Amino acid sequence: MREIVLSTDNINKLREIREILEDLDIKIYGKSDIEGLDFEVIEDGDTLYDNALKKVSAMAERVDFAVLADDTGLFVKALNGEPGVHSARYASEHDDKKNREKLLNNLKDKEDRSAYFKTEIILIDEDKNIIPIEGVCTGKISLEERGDNGFGYDSIFIPDGFDKTFAEMSHEEKNQISHRSRALKNLRDKISNL
Ligand code: IMP
């Protein structure tokens, strides 16, 4: 069985990634499951790619496993792409509720509510090959929060083709179409050949 360490201990992300890759014979660890990975990376890159590369490189230096990092942003057209790479700390560091409130407030008078999520995933395999891949999910920002089945900006994002937010969907439904699942599905062939 292959083993991959993720650059996160976010239980929602770990769950999503495990669900999407569950048919592959891969054991997926969170960062805190592996000794020696108890370090902080300052995510101050200008792009999702820069941040993902920082996180994954710091791990690859310390372990011989394959390592995978993802960095995600929500890009809102009427706000010139904000919060984008600053999504985690838009209003306040890792306070999802405040971040959502700030976004809804900034969009109050805007007609165009279109937005997209983008996930940048970088895998560094056991031979230290760097494999980057992206996934995008387009949609719009809802007028108010709806649903409680998600995390981050899920309760204010309505993907194209639906009239409910990610937080009103089952995990399976979100995993069919989400930015992260699209990136991971693109990566699956490569992972299965590790
Ligand atoms: P990170 O780069 O994955 O740490 O995420 C950046 C920001 O986007 C954080 O505020 C997360 O809560 C949020 N985020 C990441 N993935 C998702 C998602 O799938 N749905 C909603 N929000 C997300």
Side-chain angles (χ1 to χ4, degrees):
M1 180 186 280
R2 300 288 178 177
E3 295 171 299
I4 296 184
V5 192
L6 305 187
S7 68
T8 183
D9 287 316
N10 177 326
I11 50 166
N12 293 294
K13 276 200 201 175
L14 276 169
R15 176 186 46 72
E16 281 191 5
I17 293 172
R18 285 183 174 131
E19 282 168 3
I20 293 161
L21 300 179
E22 72 184 350
D23 55 325
L24 301 180
D25 193 25
I26 298 175
K27 177 113 180 103
I28 296 172
Y29 299 103
K31 193 175 165 210
S32 63
D33 294 328
I34 306 295
E35 221 173 294
L37 293 184
D38 182 23
F39 60 89
E40 287 295 318
V41 172
I42 298 169
E43 296 183 36
D44 58 356
D46 290 334
T47 62
L48 300 177
Y49 181 90
D50 290 346
N51 283 337
L53 190 61
K54 278 183 105 170
K55 287 189 266 190
V56 78
S57 306
M59 297 207 315
E61 281 167 16
R62 293 168 167 89
V63 293
D64 294 326
F65 292 104
V67 292
L68 185 151
D70 87 317
D71 205 51
T72 296
L74 175 60
F75 296 79
V76 181
K77 193 169 170 197
L79 302 178
N80 300 317
E82 280 292 305
V85 72
H86 306 118
S87 293
R89 54 197 143 91
Y90 188 39
S92 161
E93 189 75 33
H94 295 294
D95 185 332
D96 288 345
K97 180 136 192 68
K98 283 199 182 134
N99 289 341
R100 290 192 297 269
E101 281 167 3
K102 177 171 176 183
L103 186 50
L104 287 177
N105 199 40
N106 285 349
L107 268 185
K108 223 171 30 206
D109 305 320
K110 311 276 187 200
E111 215 157 282
D112 183 354
R113 302 182 74 86
S114 58
Y116 64 90
F117 271 114
K118 182 164 154 186
T119 289
E120 180 76 45
I121 285 180
I122 303 179
L123 173 76
I124 300 186
D125 70 14
E126 294 92 336
D127 300 323
K128 305 296 176 195
N129 296 307
I130 298 178
I131 304 161
I133 207 119
E134 283 179 6
V136 170
C137 182
T138 56
K140 62 173 187 266
I141 305 300
S142 57
L143 292 170
E144 72 281 303
E145 297 212 22
R146 278 162 36 190
D148 44 25
N149 205 16
F151 70 101
Y153 295 92
D154 276 347
S155 59
I156 60 168
F157 183 79
I158 302 173
D160 283 342
F162 292 80
D163 54 15
K164 54 186 175 181
T165 67
F166 269 158
E168 293 177 302
M169 294 183 171
S170 66
H171 294 153
E172 292 74 25
E173 252 181 312
K174 181 185 172 193
N175 285 348
Q176 291 292 318
I177 55 167
S178 81
H179 42 293
R180 186 170 299 102
S181 71
R182 285 186 172 142
L184 285 168
K185 283 171 191 162
N186 290 338
L187 195 67
R188 272 159 67 121
D189 291 347
K190 294 175 183 166
I191 288 180
S192 59
N193 290 328
L194 274 176

